[in-house]
Amino acid sequence: MPPSLFADRTAPQPPERGMVDALITQTRRLRGDVDAVRRDTMVDEEDAEVRWQRALCDLAVHQLDDLGAHLGQLKDGLPSLPAAREPSAASFPGPAPVSLLTRVGSAEWNLLTDEVSWSDELYEIFGRAPESGPLTLDELPSMLLAEDQHLLTAMVTDCLVDGKPLDGEFRIVRADDGQVRTLHLMGEPVLDADGSTASMWAVLRDVSTLRRTQRAVRENQDSLQRERQLAQAERRVAVQLQEAVLPPWRGAAPLRAGGALDLAAYYLPSASGELVGGDWYDAMELSGGRSLLTVGGLTGHGVPATSSMAMLLGALRGLALAGVRPGSLMGHLNQLLETSAAQPSLGSAVCCQYDPGTRLLSWAQAGHPAPLLFRDGRGRPLDPPRGVLLGATPGAVYEEAEASLRRGDLLVLHTDGLSRRSSTDHESRGRLLSLAPRFADAHSARECVRLVLEEFGETEREDDACVLVVRIDD
């Protein structure tokens, strides 16, 4: 049904058919591209960002479906003409045809004759049989949800009394199936020659699916934002816990132990800075002038990893102060992880005790890179004793190894993750050993740590790591 016009308005010219065909082709191509992206988007209910991306693709597809249907109507002509038909399957390929509910229906209410005209599409949208006839302006609110009736009444009053255009949304309950649908109404008053309102015409579109997908996008975006905020808060807690537990010289400030050792250490964050794991380094003076030297790490990241690390490091210090030897100490730590409900449950570590009186280094390891010994400009890994991952084998026995050190020797203890994740321990060890000539020229443990950072400070490192450098000064 063609809408009436204002008395002083000339009828617009219809768009050229070729232009509409070109728009349909472009929209069809774009719809296919977006649908391909949607199919390629993996659905992971645990990943809020993936859910948000999928919801955006769904929204874009629905909007393009609507655009294609409307362009098809524009090409077909006005609904009341005999030539009117469904939007051309010139619209889009797909598993199902475009529903009539996505089409636009039109209506006109003549205030002078009380005549009401509805297009066929509007009957479909309202789920109303054509033989029942169209609804008058007084009857129309009865189809709306009670809480939306005042919205329609206000729009119609403003249109008829003040000549304002109609533009708003409300929800109806379809007559045939009882479904609640959201309609978008646009229209305007039609004035007679005297400037009085003679009738009101409007177009109505079912936008239920569009609004549903928009809500899904907002909900997924809100969920993603909440998850990111929680992750940031958890990271802050993990960093604070890590800083509270690790020695204050975590930034490579030197520490002298018993006057015999020059030490420096550094915590190397991941390239993104987002992954805070359960890695540690530690050095502590024990009775008799001996020193505890240790590095290690637990699987996982965030608060669970750092809290488990704090528990394990506290136990390690207590056992060492009680005089427990490195091999037995590893066994106790393994038992602690076996019986603890905290996660993560697996860890690797190297634990050393150094006696300055005998210059003897006693050490044990649990699935960890062996300490590297640098002497006279050359470096080599110490021969490792038997050891398995902490928490992996109940009742595991950890052997000890010993090494005699000299004045000027340099030890490097480090966790996994110095290089990028794809690199092997062998590759990281080779790069450290290649620093032997430069270590020999260094004047302090802190300078050696700086050399390690120059070698391994690359941005591609995906995990965090720790390094501890020990020089024998006496």
Side-chain angles (χ1 to χ4, degrees):
M1 174 190 66
S4 302
L5 302 172
F6 284 93
D8 58 351
R9 185 179 302 174
T10 57
Q13 297 300 312
E16 295 183 6
R17 189 176 185 87
M19 183 183 299
V20 176
D21 286 338
L23 288 173
I24 289 175
T25 300
Q26 293 175 18
T27 306
R28 179 173 65 246
R29 184 181 301 113
L30 181 58
R31 203 278 193 189
D33 291 343
V34 174
D35 200 39
V37 172
R38 181 175 61 168
R39 288 195 304 270
D40 292 340
T41 303
M42 297 299 294
V43 179
D44 183 357
E45 296 301 327
E46 300 301 321
D47 191 329
E49 185 168 1
V50 172
R51 295 197 306 269
W52 171 69
Q53 292 171 348
R54 182 60 183 251
L56 277 178
C57 289
D58 290 342
L59 175 60
V61 166
H62 287 308
Q63 290 175 323
L64 288 169
D65 282 343
D66 277 355
L67 177 60
H70 300 156
L71 289 173
Q73 283 184 275
L74 186 61
K75 177 181 177 180
D76 291 343
L78 295 171
S80 59
L81 297 179
R85 62 184 185 276
E86 282 296 302
S88 158
S91 304
F92 308 118
V98 177
S99 168
L100 279 173
L101 295 181
T102 65
R103 298 195 66 180
V104 174
S106 59
E108 182 171 2
W109 291 271
N110 192 309
L111 304 181
L112 302 180
T113 64
D114 292 332
E115 180 184 0
V116 182
S117 300
W118 276 20
S119 68
D120 292 341
E121 289 77 15
L122 197 55
Y123 284 102
E124 285 284 350
I125 289 173
F126 275 83
R128 184 175 175 85
E131 55 267 24
S132 300
L135 296 172
T136 66
L137 288 177
D138 292 332
E139 296 171 331
L140 188 59
S142 65
M143 295 286 294
L144 276 63
L145 294 183
E147 54 267 36
D148 289 358
Q149 291 176 0
H150 71 283
L151 298 175
L152 178 63
T153 301
M155 281 193 295
V156 171
T157 300
D158 290 343
C159 178
L160 298 181
V161 176
D162 300 324
K164 294 181 179 180
L166 296 156
D167 189 356
E169 292 185 6
F170 51 81
R171 292 164 296 172
I172 66 167
V173 179
R174 282 170 47 87
D176 55 355
D177 55 18
Q179 288 187 16
V180 176
R181 310 294 295 183
T182 301
L183 305 186
H184 185 195
L185 177 146
M186 295 185 68
E188 59 185 26
V190 180
L191 307 180
D192 58 19
D194 297 329
S196 302
T197 301
S199 63
M200 185 185 77
W201 71 271
V203 292
L204 294 95
R205 182 166 68 109
D206 188 316
V207 294
S208 303
T209 302
L210 182 61
R211 296 296 176 257
R212 184 166 57 250
T213 52
Q214 287 174 334
R215 285 195 301 273
V217 168
R218 288 195 300 270
E219 290 169 0
N220 281 283
Q221 189 167 2
D222 291 344
S223 175
L224 177 60
Q225 184 67 19
R226 287 192 298 271
E227 287 192 11
R228 286 177 173 173
Q229 290 173 347
L230 288 173
Q232 291 172 356
E234 181 180 354
R235 182 184 180 279
R236 286 194 296 269
V237 173
V239 169
Q240 292 169 357
L241 182 58
Q242 182 191 68
E243 291 178 344
V245 173
L246 292 184
W249 36 283
R250 64 193 303 267
L255 174 77
R256 302 194 64 83
L261 302 179
D262 175 24
L263 303 100
Y266 203 88
Y267 169 80
L268 292 83
S270 64
S272 67
E274 296 299 320
L275 299 178
V276 181
D279 287 2
W280 78 79
Y281 58 81
D282 197 24
M284 183 174 61
E285 188 170 354
L286 304 175
S287 61
R290 295 175 300 114
S291 297
L292 169 71
L293 308 169
T294 177
V295 296
L298 297 176
T299 54
H301 297 92
V303 174
T306 52
S307 60
S308 295
M309 178 268 287
M311 174 193 69
L312 204 67
L313 187 54
L316 189 154
R317 291 168 175 169
L319 291 168
L321 284 172
V324 178
R325 300 283 301 174
S328 298
L329 191 152
M330 286 294 186
H332 289 307
L333 294 183
N334 185 61
Q335 184 179 9
L336 179 63
L337 281 182
E338 290 173 23
T339 57
S340 174
Q343 295 293 326
S345 59
L346 295 179
S348 61
V350 58
C351 180
C352 308
Q353 288 187 11
Y354 175 70
D355 187 341
T358 60
R359 287 190 177 151
L360 188 66
L361 181 77
S362 303
W363 66 287
Q365 69 169 7
H368 202 79
L372 302 180
L373 173 62
F374 294 85
R375 177 182 293 170
D376 299 328
R378 295 187 298 273
R380 67 176 179 86
L382 298 180
D383 294 331
R386 178 182 177 275
V388 297
L389 283 173
L390 294 174
T393 306
V397 176
Y398 295 85
E399 298 177 353
E400 282 187 23
E402 293 183 343
S404 294
L405 303 182
R406 304 176 188 171
R407 180 182 174 86
D409 282 352
L410 186 80
L411 287 173
V412 176
L413 285 66
H414 67 92
T415 63
D416 297 324
L418 279 178
S419 298
R420 57 184 178 274
R421 183 173 296 172
S422 59
S423 298
T424 62
D425 292 337
H426 179 75
E427 187 265 349
S428 297
R429 183 177 63 188
R431 291 173 65 180
L432 283 169
L433 292 175
S434 70
L435 297 175
R438 301 174 69 186
F439 284 160
D441 294 335
H443 297 92
S444 66
R446 184 172 185 173
E447 187 174 345
C448 293
V449 167
R450 181 180 57 80
L451 294 173
V452 173
L453 295 181
E454 290 177 359
E455 179 67 24
F456 292 96
E458 68 267 22
T459 57
E460 72 263 23
R461 185 176 55 257
E462 297 183 24
D463 214 338
D464 54 353
C466 290
V467 62
L468 172 65
V469 176
V470 184
R471 267 178 37 129
I472 310 300
D473 276 357
D474 223 349

